[in-house]
Amino acid sequence: MRTVIYTNFDLCTGCAICQMSCSEYKTGGTNPRLALLKVVPNADGLIHQPVTCQQCQNAFCMKVCPAEAIYRNEENGAVIINEEKCHGCGLCVKACQKDVVLLDKPAKKARKCDLCAGEPVCVKSCPTGALEIAKLGGAKDE
Amino acid sequence: MSKGYMGKFLTINLSTSETKEIDVPQWLQEEYVGGKGYAMKLLYDLLPQGADPLGPDNPLMFFPGPLTGTLAPSMRACVATKSPLTGLLLDSYFGGHFGPEIKYAGYDGIIITGSSIKPVYLWIDDNNVEIKSAEHLWGTGTLESNRAIKKELQDDSIKVSTIGPAGENKVRFALISCEYNRQAGRGGAGAVMGSKNLKAVAIRGTHGVEVENREEFLKAVQQGYQELKDSPDVQALVDTGTASAVPFANEVGLLPRRNYQDGTFDKADNISDLGQNKDYWLRSEACAGCPVRCSKVGYIRTGRYAGTISDIVEFESAGLLGSNLEIGDAKAVTYLSALCDNLGVDTISAGSVVGFALEAAEKDIIDKEKLPAGADFGNAKAIAELLKNIVTRNGAVADILADGVKMAAEKIGQDSDDFAVHVKGLEVPAWGPRGNPGIALALMTADRGGCHQRGLPLGYELAGEPWNGKVLDRLALEGKAEIMVHEQNHLTALDTFVKCDFGNFGISLSNYLKLFSSCTGRELTEEELYNLGAKIWNMGRLFNLREGLDPAEDKLPKRFMNESLPSGPCKGHHFTDDDVKLMLKEYYQLRGWGIDGRPTEETITKYNLHQENTFSID
């Protein structure tokens, strides 16, 4: 089993409260750009697509990490960066095809969604329910 | 520097291409707080007296407030400059995502002076500032240029403010379109930007905005969310935005029809939330950090305007482009509103200017042949053509109209001033005011001209909301000035933070103060807040007087004085000179102004407005 944050684009208003809350909780400063999830408007402004870490089963970020700093929390399936081991090379940032692993340049550390120890602040703060916690099954061959 | 602030202004001189960072002086932060406070003081200090609004000496400034870009619910930012429409102060507020990004880039304000020889745009990437060519963008619509700049800079997350062809052509009611499709609409800031040959400002910021007392601040944020939820007024905005005010305004007889001749419109429901929801709405849209989501977005599915993507046609746009022009079809009004947004003109002034032109043609004051074929009230197709002509100043008549109704009436003459509906040059919004003395006083005394956002006593005058424990008589003249001064001070003070008018429907004053104190570490009492509002209001008045305001211009458009309201619950009402005099006398007295409408020496001293501290860029 793994836990992910499921996104309902049709309910997203683009208010960025999820991102502002995430950055506030994780960094102490508010700025959607520092958040560990994205909200991407489509070109004509008709919708916003929230993009969250899928805690991939075949996690590219984990695969490419030369420091073996990325591991899986077996309880909820979250893919987690061990800050002590991470030396900020940025390979995981490049590897993430959803663009939700960030490099904290001043700290020289990679950052990604860790589901806030089971209670993601983005989900809690979303005013419309555009973000939901979903429990998924494992891979077919598990 | 207190938390909540970034501590720096970015200044850009487009004549010399010089950019620099200036520390925000401590005295400025203490005395003027942010947003509107900075706007009024810096306009006074930076604008050379009598400078041409469309000349290089007029500064164009963007100010967020200390709460902008934080989790404090429903915050905005403002643009300040000298208005080319009124020759007076202009502060125009916008939501969306551009205001917060100024803070994220590390600034409490952006001050643009001078003018470029060629079209340019600004690219502010934290503290890297570039002036880039915009020659390839000149002539494009507001949203088209927004998208083109993101593509060029290869980042969709950049926040951009742009002008459309209207700003480029210095149409005096041109707007600035702020990320995304949020307008600093009123007063012609877009024309000032165009006069500087500045097509756009693009920003990307990576700084976080910190607060002083995190725990208290987050508590106040949660309380703010709850207050917004508990407010029926706010919940109406969640459901239907301001479009649902159309049937209300119609019911109480305030909805402009036929260039403000009348106050009711039989097709009001069609252009309200009811018609809009049926014809194009799909989902709700919100500004940064706002749970209210008062905007509705969608596209027109069928018919002549199929494919038009638009935000909500909010109340003012529905009033001025709809009922005022006798267009009772939501699809047509939506098309006209989206057209104005993309060409970059204020829908209020645009609807008023078109109404003025149509009436002038009807009265044979302007030659009908010089307007697009079929131009008349109710003809959306011809009106769209006329708007396009005005925005491009195509033809002699359109060129005159592009300067707004006041200047147009001056040029056209022939008593056209009788139906040029403006106060101090700013076209009047979609609220009455015949039958509503409080609204009349609001329009007469608003610091930027005919504006409803500086205090609108709708609740007290029309919805039975008690003032100091008493329900007011709608038509009473006495006592309305007291409400007006209170409202103006209240809203001005909160515009230093910078609040949204709609958030203010729900969030309590005490909670705004909690948000402010936990964010910045500075405690303000309610009394101090009102004094701050009064101080800044007086600062604005001093600026306007210095720039040549004749206090006799604190008056109503002739139409509301000379012509009785033809329909609605206040049928037959109009204002008299005595009505106006009585209200203004009370108002001036409560403001601490002489009967000549000027702040007295005592008032200037009381609010410490002797300009001992002066802000300068050099």
Side-chain angles (χ1 to χ4, degrees), chain B residues 52-63:
Chain B
D52 175 5
L54 297 178
D57 288 337
N58 188 13
L60 177 71
M61 306 182 281
F62 294 85
F63 296 113

Side-chain angles (χ1 to χ4, degrees), chain B residues 31-32 531 534-536 538-539 542 591-593 598-612:
Chain B
E31 282 190 53
Y32 292 92
N531 275 333
K535 174 191 173 89
I536 295 166
N538 277 286
M539 180 81 242
L542 291 176
R591 272 272 168 236
W593 297 354
R598 294 168 190 275
T600 61
E601 188 54 34
E602 199 186 340
T603 300
I604 291 174
T605 305
K606 179 180 174 188
Y607 294 115
N608 190 23
L609 290 169
H610 281 107
Q611 321 301 340
E612 279 150 15

Side-chain angles (χ1 to χ4, degrees), chain A residues 2 54-63 72 79 95 139:
Chain A
R2 73 194 158 107
Q54 291 304 292
Q55 315 297 343
C56 305
Q57 296 181 77
N58 179 24
F60 294 3
C61 58
M62 195 190 293
K63 279 193 164 165
R72 188 177 300 279
V79 176

